[in-house]
Amino acid sequence: MAGRILFPFARGDRLRAEAAQLVVQGDDAKLDEWLSADVERATAYLEGAFLWNDLKGVPAATAPSVPAFSANRRYFVAAAAAAAVVVAAIGLPLVSGTGEIVHRTAVGEQRVVTLADGSRATLNTDTVLEVAYTAERRGMRLVRGEALFEVAHDPNYPFLVEAGGGTVRALGTAFVVRSERDRLEVTLITGRVEVSRQTGAARRVVELSPGERYSSDGDAGPVKLDKPRVEAVIAWRNGQLIFDETPLAEAVAEANRYEIQPIELRVTGDPATLSGVFRTGENHNFARSVATMYGLQIDEAPSGIVISGRINTR
């Protein structure tokens, strides 16, 4: 159990037993009421959940969930901030040494995480998300990758996502954040968000409208605002890639995000674009489609799939 954070409490044995009984009963309403009564119950429940997970006593389908609290949820979150109070359907995530909960997805994997306030984060392929709720803010950091956030409305409890050198502040909204090295993309689906980024001595704040996307590269890079097709931005939730006159190299790079075996382009000739709907994690089919479209050759190499040849779009 190295690295786990355990909570001391005076009535531990009895409270743990009560929490376990309520979890086994599967009555979320009773569990919600029991947890909201006082802080010690919340910490006892969390300690029991960590122990339960470590002992592998909970099947994935019946792992305990943290209910969305109403009037008393702020106190629960404050008491359990060191553990960030996040329980996913597949079990408990990792707890860092500094108290953040760390959620990860592997290449090609997606995961839905329900947060303590009822908000949800859907993590895309190869994503790392750190969550650290306190009594003052719902804070998290997208270390890398992409996530769709569906935020529970609470104007007095800020929801902040740090990513790519910027900060996204949301109130009761849904938005996608993508972070790759110093590049930051934020696409607003519904509601309202503010994106702020420090540039030298100044901090620039941009408010997005629904359907608008914010993009920036590095601290000194210009900010770009556009309106992409929203269905294309969130197509990965359905295991799809949607391209619309996308440069071929860019489309290949996007497909490679979902596969351990990458595609390598070794082509010459005219610049090419790609339009269509493709499945994520199916690079062989993707490569065959591209090769057929432009009369190219496909070869297997130790490094992955190679598409080669000359493109003539005339």
Side-chain angles (χ1 to χ4, degrees), residues 57-70:
V58 183
T62 59
S65 62
V66 176
F69 299 100
S70 52

Side-chain angles (χ1 to χ4, degrees), residues 28-195:
D28 286 346
K30 282 186 179 180
L31 180 60
D32 193 349
E33 181 181 355
W34 184 86
L35 285 169
S36 300
D38 66 63
V39 169
E40 285 185 316
R41 292 184 178 188
T43 56
Y45 169 79
L46 278 178
E47 182 175 18
F50 279 131
L51 289 169
W52 204 342
N53 186 70
D54 281 341
L55 294 173
K56 302 188 184 301
V58 183
T62 59
S65 62
V66 176
F69 299 100
S70 52
N72 291 318
R73 77 169 179 272
R74 192 80 55 83
Y75 299 103
F76 171 79
V77 172
V85 199
V86 183
V87 179
I90 61 166
L92 290 167
L94 299 175
V95 181
S96 73
T98 56
E100 297 92 354
I101 287 287
V102 182
H103 294 279
R104 299 176 185 271
T105 55
V107 174
E109 181 188 8
Q110 295 175 3
R111 180 177 300 172
V112 179
V113 176
T114 300
L115 306 176
D117 64 318
S119 299
R120 296 201 314 170
T122 304
L123 278 56
N124 197 5
T125 177
D126 193 22
T127 293
V128 177
L129 177 69
E130 297 176 348
V131 181
Y133 276 26
T134 68
E136 291 76 31
R137 56 181 278 174
R138 295 173 282 179
M140 57 205 69
R141 185 167 76 96
L142 185 65
V143 179
R144 70 169 183 267
E146 184 173 22
L148 167 65
F149 297 95
E150 298 167 273
V151 182
H153 182 68
D154 189 341
N156 298 315
Y157 198 15
F159 189 100
L160 305 174
V161 181
E162 296 180 4
T167 301
V168 185
R169 181 187 177 101
L171 293 173
T173 186
F175 61 99
V176 178
V177 181
R178 180 168 171 174
S179 178
E180 295 178 330
R181 300 181 181 87
D182 288 334
R183 181 170 179 79
L184 172 64
E185 288 185 4
V186 181
T187 305
L188 179 60
I189 310 301
T190 61
R192 180 172 63 89
V193 298
E194 292 179 347
V195 185

Side-chain angles (χ1 to χ4, degrees), residues 156-241:
N156 298 315
Y157 198 15
F159 189 100
L160 305 174
V161 181
E162 296 180 4
T167 301
V168 185
R169 181 187 177 101
L171 293 173
T173 186
F175 61 99
V176 178
V177 181
R178 180 168 171 174
S179 178
E180 295 178 330
R181 300 181 181 87
D182 288 334
R183 181 170 179 79
L184 172 64
E185 288 185 4
V186 181
T187 305
L188 179 60
I189 310 301
T190 61
R192 180 172 63 89
V193 298
E194 292 179 347
V195 185
S196 60
R197 188 162 192 158
Q198 193 74 29
T199 304
R203 190 165 189 85
R204 183 179 180 185
V205 179
V206 177
E207 183 174 323
L208 301 184
S209 301
E212 200 167 26
R213 177 172 58 190
Y214 170 107
S215 304
S216 64
D217 291 292
D219 295 338
V223 171
K224 177 184 175 183
L225 295 177
D226 64 350
K227 283 201 169 186
R229 293 171 57 193
V230 172
E231 63 269 26
V233 174
I234 61 175
W236 53 268
R237 293 185 69 190
N238 299 317
Q240 295 179 330
L241 299 170

